[in-house]
Amino acid sequence: SQELEQSPQSLIVQEGKNLTINCTSSKTLYGLYWYKQKYGEGLIFLMMLQKGGEEKSHEKITAKLDEKKQQSSLHITASQPSHAGIYLCGATPRGSNYKLTFGKGTLLTVNP
Amino acid sequence: DAMVIQNPRYQVTQFGKPVTLSCSQTLNHNVMYWYQQKSSQAPKLLFHYYDKDFNNEADTPDNFQSRRPNTSFCFLDIRSPGLGDAAMYLCATSKEQGLSYEQYFGPGTRLTVT
């Protein structure tokens, strides 16, 4: 089965600082998803990456998938308290678009 | 607004007493999922429905069952809850469309077993 390793496990930053969260896979990634979860709530879809070298941005959040398709990063520019939460990367294996396996998540705290 | 709704948000049940969690969607998505998320852990897929076809994960305990009477509704039945089944249960939906299978999640039901 596909295993996803996220780093760091937790992160505390000052408002306005940039930060990066990494997601590394033991196998080639065919579909890589980034979600955000507020404590005790459901997951909110952020972005999906499929192609090696692909990069997508939404507002101040940028996600990249490396050329070898085994590592993805999520970068937040000029962080705000509203960015606080748990960021989860998820992946689907080749041949299945339904079985989404998640990493353990990165807890982000943004101090005002 | 189109969305995924889960009821109740909080459920308390007794050890061994059957419990049903409910999920409904207004997105008209053909795929529905149930995930279990224990404290400080990643969500774990229990099963999913592709239309009416039920797909169970190999390591999902027999204690967990699901029903999907129509496109909009999906239920998670826990036949004999144990203390280890206390968790957040997340329902999600997706629509098979091209190469994108973005899943939309509900707010979750937090299950406590006493």
Side-chain angles (χ1 to χ4, degrees), chain A residues 41-75:
Chain A
E41 297 183 11
L43 279 65
I44 299 169
F45 173 78
L46 296 175
M47 275 169 276
M48 178 205 172
L49 305 166
Q50 281 190 307
K51 300 175 184 176
E54 188 175 7
E55 180 175 321
K56 288 186 179 178
S57 293
H58 177 67
E59 296 180 344
K60 294 184 178 180
I61 301 177
T62 300
K64 299 178 185 178
L65 182 61
D66 74 337
E67 288 289 346
K68 291 185 178 179
K69 295 174 61 175
Q70 283 194 284
Q71 186 166 17
S72 178
S73 61
L74 187 80
H75 184 78

Side-chain angles (χ1 to χ4, degrees), chain B residues 18-57:
Chain B
V19 66
T20 295
L21 308 182
S22 169
C23 177
S24 64
Q25 53 129 340
T26 60
L27 298 161
N28 202 32
H29 284 174
N30 61 323
V31 190
M32 293 188 77
Y33 310 77
W34 279 104
Y35 289 84
Q36 179 193 62
Q37 186 178 27
K38 295 190 176 180
S39 183
S40 301
Q41 293 186 22
K44 179 178 176 297
L45 182 64
L46 295 173
F47 25 60
H48 76 273
Y49 273 94
Y50 182 98
D51 293 325
K52 292 184 178 181
D53 293 333
F54 178 70
N55 297 272
N56 198 29
E57 292 301 303

